[in-house]
Amino acid sequence: MKIVCIGRNYVAHIEELKNEMPEEPVFFMKPDSSLLEGNRPFEIPAWSNNLHHEIELVLRIAQTGKHISREQAGKYFGEIGLGIDFTARDVQTHLASKGLPWEKAKAFDQSAVLGTPFIPLRAIGDPGAISFHLDINGNTVQQGDSGLMIFTFEEIIVHISKYVTLHAGDLIYTGTPAGVGPVHPGDHLKGYLGTEKLLDFYCV
Ligand code: ZN
């Protein structure tokens, strides 16, 4: 199983980080060792002083595919979940400034938090209008809607599968909306897809 993450998929988030608008999807990967499930506590790594939350809609790939066409892309995912792409922003900024890869900032242990359960698309309705949000200690810090994504779920699958074979069970984190910021020990994070709570855990 692999985890593929899309960067820069919401205009307001690109603006808050002062990044360039992408002409095609930007993606990177996390290893299976980065997965944190079951609402277990997230341990903030000691080597970062600016560990950011990024709440994201997550696709679970339903079948193996390579060079998937736009017309077929909808057949490759049947359910949507919610996750957090934890990011050591200080380390990422440092690596990016030197033109180095981001893995230390993005692929560390526990950096891919995954909520439960996944929601079948047929229970969601319009995949182009899925709202989601993240609360920390009772305050909403990030709010998103799949209708605001620059690249749709189908476009993401087409693009990734042009380079990398997707297997059943692979996860795609589809990018974060604006409002990213640091987490601290003791923070209580709750993530909602619509009104359904899929994430509920503490940072330690
Ligand atoms: Zn992200």
Side-chain angles (χ1 to χ4, degrees):
M1 187 276 287
K2 59 183 172 293
I3 302 167
V4 186
C5 304
I6 301 295
R8 305 180 188 176
N9 203 20
Y10 290 84
V11 172
H13 172 61
I14 293 168
E15 288 172 347
E16 75 179 343
L17 292 185
K18 299 186 172 59
N19 282 323
E20 254 178 54
M21 213 60 77
E23 287 168 9
E24 54 181 34
V26 174
F27 72 85
F28 56 91
M29 291 198 236
K30 294 178 185 254
D32 57 2
S33 48
S34 67
L35 201 58
L36 179 64
E37 296 178 278
N39 283 317
R40 295 202 305 279
F42 169 71
E43 294 174 32
I44 300 172
W47 43 260
S48 174
N49 293 313
N50 197 17
L51 208 293
H52 277 197
H53 54 78
E54 295 190 355
I55 187 91
E56 313 199 355
L57 295 172
V58 180
L59 307 179
R60 184 147 61 192
I61 294 299
Q63 57 173 319
T64 296
K66 169 85 175 168
H67 296 304
I68 299 166
S69 68
R70 179 74 180 72
E71 294 68 35
Q72 297 293 315
K75 295 182 179 164
Y76 286 81
F77 66 101
E79 43 188 15
I80 307 273
L82 197 60
I84 296 183
D85 163 23
F86 272 121
T87 303
R89 194 71 67 202
D90 46 355
V91 176
Q92 184 192 30
T93 303
H94 176 74
L95 292 169
S97 74
K98 295 184 176 298
L100 293 169
W102 296 348
E103 269 83 353
K104 287 180 193 173
K106 286 281 199 183
F108 57 91
D109 286 359
Q110 300 195 332
S111 63
V113 176
L114 187 63
T116 183
F118 275 78
I119 312 292
L121 270 176
R122 61 180 177 278
I124 288 179
D126 181 2
I130 303 170
S131 68
F132 59 103
H133 68 276
L134 174 67
D135 290 358
I136 300 185
N137 304 327
N139 301 312
T140 299
V141 292
Q142 287 193 269
Q143 257 182 316
D145 188 295
S146 60
L148 297 174
M149 296 192 305
I150 298 171
F151 301 105
T152 64
F153 298 136
E154 287 83 0
E155 288 167 336
I156 288 168
I157 285 174
V158 168
H159 188 74
I160 294 171
S161 73
K162 185 173 155 186
Y163 301 92
V164 180
T165 299
L166 291 170
H167 293 300
D170 286 350
L171 301 173
I172 301 179
Y173 283 58
T174 58
T176 197
V180 300
V183 291
H184 303 98
D187 281 349
H188 188 184
L189 278 65
K190 293 181 183 176
Y192 296 81
L193 196 154
T195 54
E196 192 152 352
K197 188 174 68 175
L198 305 186
L199 287 165
D200 186 346
F201 68 99
Y202 285 87
C203 294
V204 295

